[in-house]
Amino acid sequence: MEDKSADGSGRPARSPLLVTAVCAIGLGCVMFDQTSLVVALATIGRDLNAGIAGLQWLSAIMPLMAATAIPVSGTLAARYGARVVLRTGLIVFACGAALASLSTALPALLAARAVQGLGMALILPSGPNLLGANIPAGPARQRTVGYWIAVSSAGLFLGPLVGGFVVAQFGWRVTFIALVPLTLIGAATTTLLHDTARAKPGPLDLAGLTLVCLSLGTLAWALIETGRGNAPTVFVVGGYVLAAGLFGLFLLVERRAVNPVLDLSVLGTRTLRVLLPAVLIYNAVVNGSSFVVSMYLQEGRQVSTELAGVFILIANIGMPLAGPLTTAMRRLARPGVIMLGSLAALVGSLVLLGFSEILMLPVLALPLFVFGLAAGVLYSIDTVTVLDTTEGAASATATATLALMRQVGTVIGIAALASTGQLAASLGVAPRGETVAFLVGGLVLLLLLLRLRPRIT
């Protein structure tokens, strides 16, 4: 008997392997881009005369643009279907990568990364949304999400491994050039999948988009300037106050918007009300720590670009293992228990990294591996939870909100943890500020774990 599609339309369900392959190309390219950039940061800083603050903006500008535009992605997917949105996002991402490869100054590279961020915003929620539309809910979907994360994660270990070699031998621009044909192939293959359900069109929330961009950008500036210590204190404090005011105004606007950037209705489900803030927090720590790891290895421990790539690979190689591991663990424990265990593993790995100054360099491989594996399990759990909690047109809004929380967390984490390290070093708290940043990240996750424990066990 023929399987039915996930949306109940009677269309034949697509092969999980086909769905995995098509949906994984976009996410895999984004992961390759981000991890290869992590390895290339020190080299780019030297070539373009960019200090730590410039590199923070270079790392944060893409997720900042993505966080701003992801809600548009959800609205467009609801209007026109996730397939068109994913295809468009891949093409835009390719254009941004091509522009990045031609950049000869930091402002030009920042602009190119902003274009990539727009493409990333269209890609991130559309992939899982299409997966949900082509694979029915249940064990088949859980397995396919595991496959999707595992295949996409190829970008995580190819980025530092290939990127480290390419940057050392041919320069950082080649890592961007390599993305162009891959993303265009991904755009062409989207026609092989069924499209998602569509909702009634409505106006875009332009006021909300503007306010979320301004509030995040202002907060990132204040956090980065806190670490640099160059701006007058009154300006920095004013930045935090302005960011808080803009965010408060944003929430007021969202309550009145027809198609809000942040659909507060998703918080009506208790599961998502607990999950989404947690997603923001642990993404902030994971991505902020990843930025700090790269700078620590190359500037603090003076390792080569190739060796830094190997260590970043170790940190990411657990990610493709996380999908199948999560599927197996779900047979033995509830998702909430798995989430708490993963947070505990992250805390332990960050504590070890915090004392890395007294550890031999090869020993760092252990906490880095655990770090990547635990993060991958969290990403798998939160994706499946969102897909299983929402169906149909509501899935577009929920997956967009999940992606939004991830990107907002990334922007805040890169700005906050790197600045924490700079501030600690300037105050003489530790020989290397990065180790303090790791310990602060571990403390934040420990507090999150303690808060979540009574709610999800």
Side-chain angles (χ1 to χ4, degrees):
M1 184 175 179
E2 189 178 57
D3 292 335
K4 302 301 181 184
S5 68
D7 61 5
S9 64
R11 300 177 300 187
R14 295 305 193 198
S15 161
L17 294 180
L18 173 65
V19 175
T20 296
V22 175
C23 293
I25 292 176
L27 181 58
C29 287
V30 169
M31 288 181 172
F32 177 90
D33 177 272
Q34 292 178 310
T35 54
S36 62
L37 178 72
V38 167
V39 177
L41 280 173
T43 303
I44 293 174
R46 290 190 293 269
D47 285 356
L48 302 185
N49 195 28
I52 291 294
L55 296 180
Q56 282 177 277
W57 278 115
L58 187 60
S59 299
I61 190 68
M62 191 167 86
L64 175 60
M65 179 59 71
T68 304
I70 275 173
V72 178
S73 176
T75 300
L76 293 176
R79 288 182 176 186
Y80 307 113
R83 187 171 59 186
V84 172
V85 176
L86 178 59
R87 185 183 307 138
T88 303
L90 287 163
I91 294 171
V92 171
F93 193 81
C95 292
L99 291 172
S101 70
L102 300 173
S103 300
T104 56
L106 183 61
L109 184 55
L110 287 171
R113 296 290 290 172
V115 174
Q116 284 187 284
L118 178 58
M120 178 181 173
L122 301 177
I123 291 169
L124 290 183
S126 300
N129 202 9
L130 268 181
L131 187 152
N134 284 267
I135 303 295
R141 179 181 290 175
Q142 294 171 12
R143 286 193 300 272
T144 306
V145 169
Y147 299 152
W148 169 63
I149 291 177
V151 175
S152 299
S153 296
L156 283 177
F157 56 82
L158 288 176
L161 188 63
V162 176
F165 173 79
V166 168
V167 169
Q169 300 299 321
F170 306 106
W172 56 267
R173 291 179 176 82
V174 179
T175 62
F176 290 106
I177 294 173
L179 289 167
V180 177
L182 291 174
T183 47
L184 294 179
I185 291 171
T189 59
T190 57
T191 57
L192 300 175
L193 299 185
H194 297 308
D195 209 349
T196 55
R198 303 183 186 185
K200 184 178 179 180
L204 289 174
D205 179 17
L206 296 178
L209 290 171
T210 302
L211 287 170
V212 73
C213 181
L214 289 175
S215 60
L216 272 179
T218 304
L219 178 60
W221 176 86
L223 288 167
I224 290 172
E225 288 302 320
T226 298
R228 293 179 67 194
N230 292 337
T233 302
V234 65
F235 286 174
V236 176
V237 173
Y240 286 116
V241 173
L242 179 58
L246 288 169
F247 183 71
L249 183 58
F250 165 72
L251 292 178
L252 290 176
V253 168
E254 296 310 276
R255 293 182 181 278
R256 300 171 180 267
V258 177
N259 284 322
V261 168
L262 177 61
D263 191 347
L264 298 177
S265 66
V266 300
L267 300 179
T269 304
R270 182 182 181 278
T271 299
L272 297 185
R273 195 162 56 244
V274 173
L275 176 67
L276 292 175
V279 168
L280 186 151
I281 293 170
Y282 62 67
N283 271 272
V285 174
V286 167
N287 290 288
S289 299
S290 297
F291 177 89
V292 174
V293 163
S294 174
M295 302 308 299
Y296 172 66
L297 288 171
Q298 296 185 65
E299 301 294 335
R301 302 297 288 259
Q302 297 294 311
V303 305
S304 66
T305 304
E306 293 97 331
L307 185 56
V310 172
F311 275 105
I312 300 299
L313 168 64
I314 292 170
N316 291 321
I317 202 168
M319 194 73 73
L321 304 176
L325 176 62
T326 304
T327 301
M329 288 193 297
R330 281 175 66 101
R331 302 190 187 102
L332 304 174
R334 297 190 304 276
V337 175
I338 299 172
M339 177 173 282
L340 292 177
S342 299
L343 287 172
L346 282 176
V347 171
S349 63
L350 285 170
V351 168
L352 284 176
L353 289 172
F355 292 98
S356 57
E357 285 290 303
I358 62 175
L359 300 177
M360 296 179 63
L361 194 60
V363 179
L364 295 182
L366 176 60
L368 288 174
F369 174 76
V370 173
F371 182 88
L373 183 64
V377 172
L378 287 172
Y379 296 158
S380 181
I381 287 289
D382 62 34
T383 300
V384 172
T385 300
V386 168
L387 289 175
D388 287 350
T389 304
T390 58
E391 292 292 340
S395 179
T397 300
T399 53
T401 304
L402 174 64
L404 175 63
M405 292 299 102
R406 286 174 175 168
Q407 298 315 307
V408 170
T410 298
V411 173
I412 294 173
I414 291 171
L417 282 187
S419 293
T420 297
Q422 285 184 288
L423 191 61
S426 66
L427 295 174
V429 175
R432 296 293 308 180
E434 294 94 334
T435 57
V436 176
F438 293 136
L439 292 174
V440 170
L443 176 61
V444 169
L445 290 184
L446 177 61
L447 294 175
L448 174 64
L449 189 158
L450 294 175
R451 182 167 179 79
L452 288 179
R453 186 171 178 270
R455 297 186 175 195
I456 63 178
T457 54

mmCIF file of all heavy atoms in Angstrom, residues 260-298:
data_model
loop_
_atom_site.group_PDB
_atom_site.id
_atom_site.type_symbol
_atom_site.label_atom_id
_atom_site.label_comp_id
_atom_site.label_asym_id
_atom_site.label_seq_id
_atom_site.Cartn_x
_atom_site.Cartn_y
_atom_site.Cartn_z
ATOM 1 N N PRO A 260 3.172 38.899 13.038
ATOM 2 C CA PRO A 260 4.315 39.385 13.813
ATOM 3 C C PRO A 260 5.618 38.670 13.492
ATOM 4 O O PRO A 260 5.632 37.512 13.089
ATOM 5 C CB PRO A 260 3.890 39.108 15.256
ATOM 6 C CG PRO A 260 2.929 37.965 15.158
ATOM 7 C CD PRO A 260 2.196 38.180 13.866
ATOM 8 N N VAL A 261 6.725 39.408 13.670
ATOM 9 C CA VAL A 261 8.051 38.809 13.534
ATOM 10 C C VAL A 261 8.199 37.644 14.512
ATOM 11 O O VAL A 261 8.645 36.558 14.152
ATOM 12 C CB VAL A 261 9.132 39.878 13.804
ATOM 13 C CG1 VAL A 261 10.499 39.232 13.956
ATOM 14 C CG2 VAL A 261 9.157 40.898 12.685
ATOM 15 N N LEU A 262 7.827 37.881 15.750
ATOM 16 C CA LEU A 262 7.839 36.851 16.781
ATOM 17 C C LEU A 262 6.397 36.550 17.142
ATOM 18 O O LEU A 262 5.747 37.339 17.833
ATOM 19 C CB LEU A 262 8.609 37.329 18.021
ATOM 20 C CG LEU A 262 8.651 36.373 19.207
ATOM 21 C CD1 LEU A 262 9.326 35.065 18.822
ATOM 22 C CD2 LEU A 262 9.370 37.014 20.391
ATOM 23 N N ASP A 263 5.897 35.430 16.636
ATOM 24 C CA ASP A 263 4.504 35.061 16.888
ATOM 25 C C ASP A 263 4.391 34.534 18.313
ATOM 26 O O ASP A 263 4.766 33.399 18.603
ATOM 27 C CB ASP A 263 4.049 34.007 15.880
ATOM 28 C CG ASP A 263 2.542 33.773 15.924
ATOM 29 O OD1 ASP A 263 1.905 34.235 16.893
ATOM 30 O OD2 ASP A 263 2.016 33.139 15.008
ATOM 31 N N LEU A 264 3.882 35.383 19.201
ATOM 32 C CA LEU A 264 3.807 35.016 20.611
ATOM 33 C C LEU A 264 2.836 33.865 20.862
ATOM 34 O O LEU A 264 2.836 33.285 21.947
ATOM 35 C CB LEU A 264 3.401 36.238 21.437
ATOM 36 C CG LEU A 264 4.381 37.418 21.376
ATOM 37 C CD1 LEU A 264 3.836 38.601 22.170
ATOM 38 C CD2 LEU A 264 5.755 37.022 21.885
ATOM 39 N N SER A 265 2.022 33.519 19.850
ATOM 40 C CA SER A 265 1.079 32.409 20.032
ATOM 41 C C SER A 265 1.799 31.083 20.196
ATOM 42 O O SER A 265 1.261 30.148 20.801
ATOM 43 C CB SER A 265 0.108 32.330 18.851
ATOM 44 O OG SER A 265 0.788 31.977 17.656
ATOM 45 N N VAL A 266 3.037 30.968 19.666
ATOM 46 C CA VAL A 266 3.769 29.705 19.826
ATOM 47 C C VAL A 266 4.106 29.464 21.295
ATOM 48 O O VAL A 266 4.356 28.329 21.700
ATOM 49 C CB VAL A 266 5.063 29.684 18.982
ATOM 50 C CG1 VAL A 266 4.751 29.853 17.512
ATOM 51 C CG2 VAL A 266 6.048 30.740 19.446
ATOM 52 N N LEU A 267 4.129 30.540 22.091
ATOM 53 C CA LEU A 267 4.406 30.384 23.515
ATOM 54 C C LEU A 267 3.188 29.906 24.284
ATOM 55 O O LEU A 267 3.259 29.672 25.494
ATOM 56 C CB LEU A 267 4.898 31.711 24.098
ATOM 57 C CG LEU A 267 6.179 32.269 23.469
ATOM 58 C CD1 LEU A 267 6.545 33.591 24.112
ATOM 59 C CD2 LEU A 267 7.328 31.277 23.578
ATOM 60 N N GLY A 268 2.046 29.751 23.586
ATOM 61 C CA GLY A 268 0.861 29.211 24.232
ATOM 62 C C GLY A 268 1.005 27.738 24.558
ATOM 63 O O GLY A 268 0.309 27.212 25.426
ATOM 64 N N THR A 269 1.906 27.054 23.860
ATOM 65 C CA THR A 269 2.202 25.653 24.152
ATOM 66 C C THR A 269 3.274 25.582 25.233
ATOM 67 O O THR A 269 4.351 26.169 25.088
ATOM 68 C CB THR A 269 2.721 24.938 22.886
ATOM 69 O OG1 THR A 269 1.768 25.074 21.852
ATOM 70 C CG2 THR A 269 2.970 23.475 23.156
ATOM 71 N N ARG A 270 2.980 24.892 26.326
ATOM 72 C CA ARG A 270 3.908 24.863 27.449
ATOM 73 C C ARG A 270 5.277 24.344 27.029
ATOM 74 O O ARG A 270 6.310 24.860 27.462
ATOM 75 C CB ARG A 270 3.351 23.988 28.577
ATOM 76 C CG ARG A 270 4.259 23.955 29.805
ATOM 77 C CD ARG A 270 3.724 23.043 30.901
ATOM 78 N NE ARG A 270 4.594 23.057 32.064
ATOM 79 C CZ ARG A 270 5.698 22.334 32.175
ATOM 80 N NH1 ARG A 270 6.060 21.537 31.176
ATOM 81 N NH2 ARG A 270 6.447 22.399 33.273
ATOM 82 N N THR A 271 5.289 23.333 26.165
ATOM 83 C CA THR A 271 6.565 22.758 25.734
ATOM 84 C C THR A 271 7.443 23.809 25.074
ATOM 85 O O THR A 271 8.631 23.945 25.390
ATOM 86 C CB THR A 271 6.313 21.598 24.754
ATOM 87 O OG1 THR A 271 5.556 20.586 25.412
ATOM 88 C CG2 THR A 271 7.625 21.009 24.271
ATOM 89 N N LEU A 272 6.857 24.588 24.152
ATOM 90 C CA LEU A 272 7.645 25.605 23.462
ATOM 91 C C LEU A 272 7.962 26.784 24.370
ATOM 92 O O LEU A 272 8.994 27.441 24.202
ATOM 93 C CB LEU A 272 6.907 26.079 22.210
ATOM 94 C CG LEU A 272 6.678 25.010 21.135
ATOM 95 C CD1 LEU A 272 6.043 25.626 19.903
ATOM 96 C CD2 LEU A 272 7.987 24.322 20.757
ATOM 97 N N ARG A 273 7.101 27.055 25.321
ATOM 98 C CA ARG A 273 7.346 28.154 26.257
ATOM 99 C C ARG A 273 8.587 27.875 27.108
ATOM 100 O O ARG A 273 9.307 28.795 27.489
ATOM 101 C CB ARG A 273 6.118 28.345 27.148
ATOM 102 C CG ARG A 273 6.096 29.663 27.903
ATOM 103 C CD ARG A 273 4.718 30.017 28.410
ATOM 104 N NE ARG A 273 4.134 28.979 29.244
ATOM 105 C CZ ARG A 273 3.038 28.288 28.939
ATOM 106 N NH1 ARG A 273 2.404 28.520 27.794
ATOM 107 N NH2 ARG A 273 2.550 27.378 29.752
ATOM 108 N N VAL A 274 8.843 26.621 27.386
ATOM 109 C CA VAL A 274 10.040 26.234 28.141
ATOM 110 C C VAL A 274 11.235 26.080 27.201
ATOM 111 O O VAL A 274 12.360 26.498 27.519
ATOM 112 C CB VAL A 274 9.792 24.911 28.899
ATOM 113 C CG1 VAL A 274 11.080 24.402 29.543
ATOM 114 C CG2 VAL A 274 8.709 25.104 29.956
ATOM 115 N N LEU A 275 11.002 25.502 26.025
ATOM 116 C CA LEU A 275 12.098 25.151 25.122
ATOM 117 C C LEU A 275 12.769 26.365 24.491
ATOM 118 O O LEU A 275 13.999 26.463 24.476
ATOM 119 C CB LEU A 275 11.572 24.221 24.020
ATOM 120 C CG LEU A 275 12.583 23.839 22.933
ATOM 121 C CD1 LEU A 275 13.687 22.965 23.518
ATOM 122 C CD2 LEU A 275 11.889 23.126 21.780
ATOM 123 N N LEU A 276 11.988 27.295 23.944
ATOM 124 C CA LEU A 276 12.561 28.359 23.111
ATOM 125 C C LEU A 276 13.525 29.277 23.869
ATOM 126 O O LEU A 276 14.600 29.593 23.346
ATOM 127 C CB LEU A 276 11.441 29.158 22.444
ATOM 128 C CG LEU A 276 10.646 28.364 21.388
ATOM 129 C CD1 LEU A 276 9.475 29.179 20.872
ATOM 130 C CD2 LEU A 276 11.552 27.933 20.241
ATOM 131 N N PRO A 277 13.210 29.722 25.096
ATOM 132 C CA PRO A 277 14.227 30.506 25.819
ATOM 133 C C PRO A 277 15.498 29.708 26.093
ATOM 134 O O PRO A 277 16.605 30.255 26.056
ATOM 135 C CB PRO A 277 13.511 30.882 27.122
ATOM 136 C CG PRO A 277 12.058 30.814 26.800
ATOM 137 C CD PRO A 277 11.937 29.679 25.829
ATOM 138 N N ALA A 278 15.336 28.406 26.362
ATOM 139 C CA ALA A 278 16.514 27.565 26.591
ATOM 140 C C ALA A 278 17.362 27.481 25.330
ATOM 141 O O ALA A 278 18.602 27.505 25.392
ATOM 142 C CB ALA A 278 16.090 26.167 27.040
ATOM 143 N N VAL A 279 16.709 27.380 24.166
ATOM 144 C CA VAL A 279 17.428 27.334 22.887
ATOM 145 C C VAL A 279 18.285 28.581 22.719
ATOM 146 O O VAL A 279 19.451 28.514 22.309
ATOM 147 C CB VAL A 279 16.433 27.192 21.722
ATOM 148 C CG1 VAL A 279 17.122 27.437 20.381
ATOM 149 C CG2 VAL A 279 15.801 25.805 21.733
ATOM 150 N N LEU A 280 17.718 29.739 23.021
ATOM 151 C CA LEU A 280 18.466 30.995 22.910
ATOM 152 C C LEU A 280 19.704 30.963 23.799
ATOM 153 O O LEU A 280 20.805 31.313 23.354
ATOM 154 C CB LEU A 280 17.559 32.167 23.286
ATOM 155 C CG LEU A 280 18.128 33.576 23.085
ATOM 156 C CD1 LEU A 280 17.014 34.572 22.797
ATOM 157 C CD2 LEU A 280 18.922 34.051 24.308
ATOM 158 N N ILE A 281 19.551 30.511 25.027
ATOM 159 C CA ILE A 281 20.660 30.555 25.982
ATOM 160 C C ILE A 281 21.766 29.582 25.601
ATOM 161 O O ILE A 281 22.955 29.944 25.565
ATOM 162 C CB ILE A 281 20.146 30.267 27.408
ATOM 163 C CG1 ILE A 281 19.230 31.401 27.873
ATOM 164 C CG2 ILE A 281 21.320 30.101 28.381
ATOM 165 C CD1 ILE A 281 18.479 31.098 29.151
ATOM 166 N N TYR A 282 21.417 28.319 25.300
ATOM 167 C CA TYR A 282 22.517 27.387 25.018
ATOM 168 C C TYR A 282 23.141 27.626 23.653
ATOM 169 O O TYR A 282 24.315 27.327 23.444
ATOM 170 C CB TYR A 282 22.144 25.920 25.248
ATOM 171 C CG TYR A 282 21.059 25.280 24.434
ATOM 172 C CD1 TYR A 282 21.191 25.049 23.074
ATOM 173 C CD2 TYR A 282 19.890 24.815 25.062
ATOM 174 C CE1 TYR A 282 20.201 24.398 22.354
ATOM 175 C CE2 TYR A 282 18.898 24.174 24.355
ATOM 176 C CZ TYR A 282 19.058 23.965 22.990
ATOM 177 O OH TYR A 282 18.076 23.312 22.276
ATOM 178 N N ASN A 283 22.411 28.217 22.718
ATOM 179 C CA ASN A 283 23.049 28.614 21.461
ATOM 180 C C ASN A 283 24.014 29.770 21.679
ATOM 181 O O ASN A 283 25.062 29.836 21.017
ATOM 182 C CB ASN A 283 21.996 28.986 20.427
ATOM 183 C CG ASN A 283 21.534 27.803 19.611
ATOM 184 O OD1 ASN A 283 22.123 27.468 18.590
ATOM 185 N ND2 ASN A 283 20.489 27.129 20.082
ATOM 186 N N ALA A 284 23.676 30.689 22.581
ATOM 187 C CA ALA A 284 24.587 31.779 22.889
ATOM 188 C C ALA A 284 25.913 31.241 23.420
ATOM 189 O O ALA A 284 26.997 31.659 22.985
ATOM 190 C CB ALA A 284 23.944 32.727 23.913
ATOM 191 N N VAL A 285 25.835 30.288 24.339
ATOM 192 C CA VAL A 285 27.057 29.741 24.934
ATOM 193 C C VAL A 285 27.835 28.900 23.924
ATOM 194 O O VAL A 285 29.061 29.030 23.803
ATOM 195 C CB VAL A 285 26.720 28.916 26.183
ATOM 196 C CG1 VAL A 285 27.969 28.227 26.726
ATOM 197 C CG2 VAL A 285 26.104 29.806 27.264
ATOM 198 N N VAL A 286 27.136 28.047 23.173
ATOM 199 C CA VAL A 286 27.822 27.165 22.218
ATOM 200 C C VAL A 286 28.538 27.972 21.134
ATOM 201 O O VAL A 286 29.726 27.764 20.858
ATOM 202 C CB VAL A 286 26.818 26.174 21.588
ATOM 203 C CG1 VAL A 286 27.439 25.479 20.372
ATOM 204 C CG2 VAL A 286 26.380 25.135 22.613
ATOM 205 N N ASN A 287 27.843 28.912 20.516
ATOM 206 C CA ASN A 287 28.447 29.655 19.407
ATOM 207 C C ASN A 287 29.432 30.705 19.891
ATOM 208 O O ASN A 287 30.445 30.958 19.230
ATOM 209 C CB ASN A 287 27.342 30.290 18.560
ATOM 210 C CG ASN A 287 26.558 29.254 17.786
ATOM 211 O OD1 ASN A 287 27.043 28.665 16.833
ATOM 212 N ND2 ASN A 287 25.335 29.002 18.208
ATOM 213 N N GLY A 288 29.161 31.315 21.044
ATOM 214 C CA GLY A 288 30.144 32.226 21.606
ATOM 215 C C GLY A 288 31.429 31.505 21.978
ATOM 216 O O GLY A 288 32.537 31.998 21.730
ATOM 217 N N SER A 289 31.299 30.312 22.540
ATOM 218 C CA SER A 289 32.473 29.521 22.906
ATOM 219 C C SER A 289 33.251 29.079 21.671
ATOM 220 O O SER A 289 34.490 29.012 21.700
ATOM 221 C CB SER A 289 32.057 28.299 23.722
ATOM 222 O OG SER A 289 31.428 28.677 24.919
ATOM 223 N N SER A 290 32.562 28.769 20.590
ATOM 224 C CA SER A 290 33.237 28.357 19.357
ATOM 225 C C SER A 290 34.132 29.477 18.829
ATOM 226 O O SER A 290 35.254 29.231 18.366
ATOM 227 C CB SER A 290 32.207 27.960 18.301
ATOM 228 O OG SER A 290 31.453 26.846 18.735
ATOM 229 N N PHE A 291 33.635 30.715 18.881
ATOM 230 C CA PHE A 291 34.453 31.862 18.480
ATOM 231 C C PHE A 291 35.687 31.970 19.372
ATOM 232 O O PHE A 291 36.811 32.153 18.903
ATOM 233 C CB PHE A 291 33.613 33.139 18.568
ATOM 234 C CG PHE A 291 34.378 34.400 18.250
ATOM 235 C CD1 PHE A 291 34.466 34.871 16.951
ATOM 236 C CD2 PHE A 291 35.019 35.112 19.263
ATOM 237 C CE1 PHE A 291 35.177 36.038 16.661
ATOM 238 C CE2 PHE A 291 35.730 36.271 18.988
ATOM 239 C CZ PHE A 291 35.806 36.733 17.682
ATOM 240 N N VAL A 292 35.482 31.832 20.675
ATOM 241 C CA VAL A 292 36.580 31.971 21.628
ATOM 242 C C VAL A 292 37.613 30.859 21.443
ATOM 243 O O VAL A 292 38.821 31.094 21.533
ATOM 244 C CB VAL A 292 36.030 31.978 23.069
ATOM 245 C CG1 VAL A 292 37.163 31.968 24.082
ATOM 246 C CG2 VAL A 292 35.140 33.196 23.295
ATOM 247 N N VAL A 293 37.146 29.627 21.160
ATOM 248 C CA VAL A 293 38.062 28.500 20.959
ATOM 249 C C VAL A 293 39.049 28.790 19.832
ATOM 250 O O VAL A 293 40.257 28.561 19.960
ATOM 251 C CB VAL A 293 37.282 27.202 20.661
ATOM 252 C CG1 VAL A 293 38.197 26.143 20.053
ATOM 253 C CG2 VAL A 293 36.653 26.660 21.935
ATOM 254 N N SER A 294 38.543 29.295 18.709
ATOM 255 C CA SER A 294 39.406 29.560 17.559
ATOM 256 C C SER A 294 40.488 30.578 17.895
ATOM 257 O O SER A 294 41.669 30.381 17.601
ATOM 258 C CB SER A 294 38.566 30.059 16.384
ATOM 259 O OG SER A 294 39.389 30.454 15.312
ATOM 260 N N MET A 295 40.085 31.680 18.513
ATOM 261 C CA MET A 295 41.057 32.712 18.855
ATOM 262 C C MET A 295 42.048 32.208 19.906
ATOM 263 O O MET A 295 43.240 32.531 19.862
ATOM 264 C CB MET A 295 40.339 33.968 19.361
ATOM 265 C CG MET A 295 39.342 34.566 18.360
ATOM 266 S SD MET A 295 40.048 34.845 16.707
ATOM 267 C CE MET A 295 41.345 36.009 17.078
ATOM 268 N N TYR A 296 41.570 31.398 20.844
ATOM 269 C CA TYR A 296 42.442 30.869 21.890
ATOM 270 C C TYR A 296 43.518 29.955 21.301
ATOM 271 O O TYR A 296 44.702 30.048 21.664
ATOM 272 C CB TYR A 296 41.619 30.114 22.920
ATOM 273 C CG TYR A 296 42.433 29.372 23.945
ATOM 274 C CD1 TYR A 296 43.229 30.066 24.855
ATOM 275 C CD2 TYR A 296 42.419 27.984 24.005
ATOM 276 C CE1 TYR A 296 43.994 29.399 25.800
ATOM 277 C CE2 TYR A 296 43.174 27.305 24.941
ATOM 278 C CZ TYR A 296 43.963 28.010 25.837
ATOM 279 O OH TYR A 296 44.717 27.335 26.761
ATOM 280 N N LEU A 297 43.100 29.077 20.386
ATOM 281 C CA LEU A 297 44.055 28.137 19.809
ATOM 282 C C LEU A 297 45.142 28.860 19.016
ATOM 283 O O LEU A 297 46.336 28.556 19.158
ATOM 284 C CB LEU A 297 43.324 27.140 18.900
ATOM 285 C CG LEU A 297 42.462 26.091 19.596
ATOM 286 C CD1 LEU A 297 41.643 25.320 18.573
ATOM 287 C CD2 LEU A 297 43.313 25.135 20.417
ATOM 288 N N GLN A 298 44.734 29.817 18.166
ATOM 289 C CA GLN A 298 45.699 30.448 17.263
ATOM 290 C C GLN A 298 46.455 31.606 17.909
ATOM 291 O O GLN A 298 47.624 31.825 17.595
ATOM 292 C CB GLN A 298 44.987 30.920 15.993
ATOM 293 C CG GLN A 298 44.398 29.762 15.185
ATOM 294 C CD GLN A 298 43.792 30.195 13.872
ATOM 295 O OE1 GLN A 298 44.476 30.661 12.975
ATOM 296 N NE2 GLN A 298 42.488 30.044 13.745
#
